[in-house]
Amino acid sequence: MEVSETVKLAGRIDREGFSMEPSAALEQLMSAYGNTVLRTAYFYMKDTHMAEDISQEVFIRAYRNWSTFRGESSVKTWLTRITVNLCRDKTGLKMYAEQPTDPGLMERGQTVSVEEEVLKRMSNSLIFKHVLKLSEQNQEVLYLYYYLDMNTREIAEATAASEGTIRGRLHRARQQLEDYLRKEGLDS
């Protein structure tokens, strides 16, 4: 019997084909979801080093809790929830709290990470500028829905909000974004 066929064997639930053994599963999880976790942490923290630290902590927690993972959500949703919670903890529940950058601390010629470059390019995008005008909760739901391709149920599980709340936030975010774009003359 394959691991992916195991539905409830000895109290364990299907782990989407990942090994039941935590060490082997850790490697598989990092390979499958490492970039997703890192980018999600970067989205919240806006700092490469903090995102890397959080990413490491996510996988440490996944390793420690792998044997108790109940499979009530997908592995991706489970890891996203851990990531979101750690980011919220690090920011003192103030999502997207802007930290001033001291130019004196920045080195000349310092290489820019992929995430920083993408964020820089996106910030130059008219649509992204309007996304940043939305509330933190609406930014979050748009990111999880469109960037991580999560459905409303998965977002609700990852953010500890009700699915109805997530659908409402998604609707409001889309409506606000549409209004901003209409004012710019970019409506469809």
Side-chain angles (χ1 to χ4, degrees), residues 55-124:
S55 181
Q56 289 176 4
E57 181 64 25
V58 167
F59 288 108
I60 289 169
R61 289 186 183 191
Y63 172 79
R64 288 181 183 153
N65 296 300
W66 184 245
S67 61
T68 60
F69 174 64
R70 296 184 306 261
E72 294 172 357
S73 65
S74 71
V75 172
K76 178 181 177 182
T77 302
W78 182 59
L79 291 172
T80 301
R81 182 175 188 135
I82 295 169
T83 307
V84 168
N85 287 340
L86 280 170
C87 290
R88 287 178 176 174
D89 289 347
K90 293 286 184 193
T91 59
L93 299 177
K94 292 184 221 166
M95 297 183 334
Y96 310 102
E98 240 181 88
Q99 301 296 320
T101 303
D102 181 0
L105 298 176
M106 299 176 71
E107 297 178 24
R108 288 187 170 256
Q110 185 178 17
T111 58
V112 177
S113 72
V114 173
E115 291 83 8
E116 289 170 325
E117 182 62 29
V118 168
L119 190 61
K120 180 181 175 186
R121 287 182 185 184
M122 287 175 66
S123 67
N124 292 330

Side-chain angles (χ1 to χ4, degrees), residues 12-169:
R12 294 183 184 216
I13 298 177
D14 178 25
R15 289 192 166 85
E16 301 171 21
F18 293 102
S19 175
M20 299 295 264
E21 199 278 311
S23 295
L26 178 63
E27 286 185 42
Q28 294 169 335
L29 292 171
M30 290 176 72
S31 176
Y33 298 111
N35 285 334
T36 300
V37 168
L38 181 62
R39 288 189 172 134
T40 301
Y42 185 80
F43 174 78
Y44 281 89
M45 305 307 295
K46 310 283 192 280
D47 178 270
T48 303
H49 299 293
M50 289 289 291
E52 289 169 349
D53 289 347
I54 287 171
S55 181
Q56 289 176 4
E57 181 64 25
V58 167
F59 288 108
I60 289 169
R61 289 186 183 191
Y63 172 79
R64 288 181 183 153
N65 296 300
W66 184 245
S67 61
T68 60
F69 174 64
R70 296 184 306 261
E72 294 172 357
S73 65
S74 71
V75 172
K76 178 181 177 182
T77 302
W78 182 59
L79 291 172
T80 301
R81 182 175 188 135
I82 295 169
T83 307
V84 168
N85 287 340
L86 280 170
C87 290
R88 287 178 176 174
D89 289 347
K90 293 286 184 193
T91 59
L93 299 177
K94 292 184 221 166
M95 297 183 334
Y96 310 102
E98 240 181 88
Q99 301 296 320
T101 303
D102 181 0
L105 298 176
M106 299 176 71
E107 297 178 24
R108 288 187 170 256
Q110 185 178 17
T111 58
V112 177
S113 72
V114 173
E115 291 83 8
E116 289 170 325
E117 182 62 29
V118 168
L119 190 61
K120 180 181 175 186
R121 287 182 185 184
M122 287 175 66
S123 67
N124 292 330
S125 153
L126 180 63
I127 293 174
F128 191 71
K129 285 181 181 178
H130 291 301
V131 168
L132 293 177
K133 292 179 183 177
L134 301 175
S135 72
E136 294 155 352
Q137 292 175 334
N138 289 348
Q139 288 179 36
E140 174 183 60
V141 75
L142 286 176
Y143 173 80
L144 295 173
Y145 188 82
Y146 289 107
Y147 186 77
L148 291 188
D149 199 30
M150 297 175 78
N151 63 40
T152 55
R153 180 188 52 76
E154 292 171 325
I155 296 170
E157 291 173 13
T159 59
S162 73
E163 190 172 355
T165 298
I166 296 303
R167 283 193 301 265
R169 287 178 187 168

